[in-house]
Amino acid sequence: MGTEGGNVRVIGGRYRLEAIIGRGGMGVIWRSSDTLLGRQVAVKELAVDETLSEDEAAQQRERMLREARAVAQLRHPNIIVVHDVVLHEGRPYIVMDLLDGGSLADRIARQGPVDPVEAARIGLALLGALRVAHAAGVLHRDLKPANVLLEAGTARVVLTDFGIAQVAGATTLTESGGFVGSPEYTAPERMSGGGAGAGADLWSLGALLCAALTGESPFRRDSLGGVLHAVVYEEIQPPPEAAPLLPVVRGLLERDPARRLGLDEAERLLRAYVATGATPQQAPPPGAYTPTRPDMPAVHRQKISTRVLLVAAALVAAAAGAVLAATALLAGRDGNTPQTPTSSASEPSRTGSASVSPTPTVTVTRSETRTATPRPTAPTGYRTVRDAKGFSLAVPEGFTRSLDGQRVFYMSPRRTFRIGVRVTGTQEGGPAAAQRRAAADGPSTNPGYRDGKVTDTSHDGHDAALWEFTWDGFSTSEGARRTIDLCWEEGGRMYDVWVSAPVSRIDEARAYFDAAVDTFAPSAG
């Protein structure tokens, strides 16, 4: 039953959960003992949405585990070390380093804001962590003071809780009126329901720097609706305390992701300030920091306002009896490409963790009755295709079909995003062996192949393997791409589903991957 000695639980046959040291919307953090290696660790018990059907809950757990395993591959001194991922009695757990020290949020609550030099030092550490994560196709999605740990005695800054703030395959503002994330630190492109890439983490860093310097986010308001309005609509006024780092803060808090300060420039400016005490002045991009620019299409302005009102209305509904549910999730995916046939196609995964959150991750949803279905229906903006190769799945509107031997592709215009499917007979050794054979051939089939990783996992109760890698694309114009490939056997067939996309647009690719995998169904044909 996972217990030992009264109420003390043991998970994974080795991790003894001893005391709760943190609690938030994403789950509970336990101080634990690794009885096998005789060391103390932190174990995060992830929250699972109790309103989901059994099938939906299983899919949610699989996504969380895939994401956790992928983050476990990240190695950087400013990223939490993930030792293990465990599924115990239907609930996911993440085993991490146990750090002596609290979060940045704890420090601000106890001692007040930090000085500009310390804020710049923290910012540089977080940029280093994000650089490694983004290069591996991992987005954080919930960068805030509560997810930044400060190790006692070393001054080391450690980023935790990757990928948990957004339901995989969903936008931040959902069609049902729900909000997922930490609103005071969430980028406006996510608020408005659009695709969000690595730049969304940089916006969150800008809000975090303001919080470190003043004690609170510049978007803190009395209600969630007020926060959303401030993020996507009000004029942004960086606080006076941010003056020493103003070019960095203003550059990061640029609403247009295309004009937002990039990681390299933010790092250069912060290093210059730490070295000289004066930040080099940089004019903000044209049109920055205004709620609605003249060049912003009216339909886009209306979309932003409509979604803000939608969430505000959801809050009123919540007060009248809607459900407030704190949900922790992890997301992630990537894909393969069409031009050169490969011997096999397959897929990968990720995670992070630790500390009490004074600004909880919030999910607001309307109460509704859910009924179990064999497969989720196509999300808004997708269509269900029934392919002659013997399967059906949801693909985004506008994607067109292409055939390359045994491989079927559904591709976006200009082939920026490529969803691939391959159906074959079973193979010797099953999905894991097939994926590892494909990974071994990776350098010969994918130019510039690197960061390849095959992880054993499951899909709808079937043994599966996830292969994830970065490569250079088939032409210099494509640039670096990330591929996520899931392979499993079912009904005497082997199925391979993958998505390939530019590294900089991995968040969109993950949404496509999740929709494809979650809605995929074998069929006769």
Side-chain angles (χ1 to χ4, degrees):
M1 298 296 292
T3 62
E4 178 181 290
N7 293 325
V8 177
R9 284 188 292 162
V10 175
I11 64 167
R14 61 186 283 191
Y15 304 109
R16 186 172 62 241
L17 310 185
E18 296 173 341
I20 294 176
I21 57 175
R23 188 188 299 271
M26 299 160 295
V28 175
I29 305 166
W30 297 81
R31 180 185 296 274
S32 308
S33 291
D34 181 345
T35 59
L36 180 63
L37 297 181
R39 62 180 176 183
Q40 290 284 291
V41 293
V43 175
K44 170 159 284 190
E45 179 180 1
L46 293 172
V48 177
D49 189 347
E50 301 296 339
T51 68
L52 298 178
S53 70
E54 184 176 345
D55 287 345
E56 291 169 329
Q59 290 162 1
Q60 183 193 81
R61 287 192 294 269
E62 287 177 10
R63 292 185 206 163
M64 295 166 79
L65 291 172
R66 287 199 300 260
E67 190 72 17
R69 290 171 183 137
V71 174
Q73 307 308 312
L74 300 178
R75 292 292 181 267
H76 190 271
N78 301 118
I79 295 176
I80 193 73
V81 175
V82 175
H83 298 298
D84 200 359
V85 181
V86 176
L87 185 63
H88 179 77
E89 295 182 350
R91 187 173 294 272
Y93 295 80
I94 304 171
V95 183
M96 304 161 291
D97 264 355
L98 178 64
L99 297 185
D100 181 15
S103 69
L104 176 59
D106 296 333
R107 172 172 171 173
I108 293 172
R110 291 194 309 265
Q111 303 176 27
V114 304
D115 62 49
V117 173
E118 177 67 358
R121 186 187 74 84
I122 292 171
L124 284 169
L126 296 177
L127 285 169
L130 292 177
R131 183 184 297 280
V132 169
H134 291 173
V138 179
L139 303 184
H140 191 280
R141 300 189 184 92
D142 198 23
L143 187 60
K144 61 184 179 183
N147 287 337
V148 177
L149 303 182
L150 306 176
E151 187 174 37
T154 68
R156 183 164 69 108
V157 177
V158 180
L159 183 57
T160 74
D161 280 337
F162 281 82
I164 56 178
Q166 178 175 316
V167 178
T171 58
T172 298
L173 300 185
T174 69
E175 294 300 325
S176 62
F179 176 87
V180 184
S182 301
E184 295 177 32
Y185 298 91
T186 299
E189 59 266 31
R190 288 186 58 207
M191 290 288 199
S192 62
D201 281 346
L202 294 175
W203 167 283
S204 300
L205 177 60
L208 181 144
L209 289 174
C210 288
L213 291 164
T214 67
E216 65 179 25
S217 163
F219 305 107
R220 178 163 296 182
R221 300 294 187 271
D222 292 336
S223 67
L224 179 55
V227 172
L228 302 182
H229 189 271
V231 170
V232 302
Y233 195 77
E234 293 178 9
E235 182 176 359
I236 298 173
Q237 297 287 350
E241 295 87 344
L245 303 180
L246 190 59
V248 181
V249 170
R250 295 188 70 180
L252 294 174
L253 295 180
E254 162 58 56
R255 282 195 172 98
D256 184 349
R259 299 177 178 177
R260 192 169 298 153
L261 195 65
L263 192 151
D264 290 342
E265 182 65 2
E267 187 175 73
R268 184 186 72 80
L269 293 174
L270 288 178
R271 289 196 184 283
Y273 179 78
V274 171
T276 66
T279 306
Q281 292 303 302
Q282 179 187 33
Y289 323 123
T290 57
T292 54
R293 302 189 308 274
D295 60 323
M296 181 184 293
V299 65
H300 182 61
R301 296 197 299 269
Q302 181 177 359
K303 179 182 179 184
I304 291 176
S305 301
T306 299
R307 287 188 174 269
V308 171
L309 293 175
L310 177 65
V311 174
L315 294 178
V316 175
V323 178
L324 288 175
T327 303
L329 290 181
L330 300 99
R333 319 299 152 265
D334 255 311
N336 216 343
T337 95
Q339 290 149 340
T340 304
T342 61
S343 59
S344 174
S346 284
E347 153 147 348
S349 57
R350 69 184 95 317
T351 220
S353 164
S355 186
V356 182
S357 171
T359 308
T361 298
V362 180
T363 302
V364 180
T365 59
R366 299 185 305 190
S367 63
E368 57 185 26
T369 301
R370 294 179 181 265
T371 57
T373 56
R375 284 289 186 276
T377 57
T380 301
Y382 289 69
R383 61 189 175 93
T384 298
V385 297
R386 290 170 176 80
D387 199 279
K389 288 290 186 179
F391 61 86
S392 63
L393 80 168
V395 301
E397 295 284 359
F399 277 44
T400 57
R401 185 179 188 271
S402 176
L403 191 62
D404 179 12
Q406 291 183 311
R407 302 185 301 170
V408 178
F409 287 91
Y410 287 89
M411 297 185 288
S412 67
R414 300 183 182 179
R415 299 159 34 118
T416 303
F417 298 97
R418 304 193 277 259
I419 301 171
V421 180
R422 186 169 181 258
V423 183
T424 63
T426 58
Q427 296 186 27
E428 182 181 357
Q435 291 287 58
R436 288 181 170 87
R437 286 192 293 268
D441 289 338
S444 62
T445 57
N446 297 274
Y449 177 88
R450 57 193 179 275
D451 301 329
K453 176 68 176 179
V454 175
T455 305
D456 295 339
T457 184
S458 63
H459 174 69
D460 283 350
H462 304 284
D463 289 341
L466 187 68
W467 178 28
E468 187 171 6
F469 59 92
T470 302
W471 58 297
D472 290 340
F474 286 121
S475 67
T476 55
S477 61
E478 281 199 325
R481 296 182 68 84
R482 190 77 176 167
T483 293
I484 307 176
D485 180 358
L486 183 66
C487 177
W488 74 96
E489 288 182 352
E490 180 178 354
R493 292 180 177 180
M494 178 171 283
Y495 296 94
D496 229 331
V497 178
W498 67 92
V499 174
S500 171
V503 168
S504 62
R505 302 184 68 177
I506 188 60
D507 198 40
E508 295 169 77
R510 286 180 185 140
Y512 299 154
F513 178 85
D514 281 335
V517 169
D518 291 346
T519 61
F520 188 93
S523 60

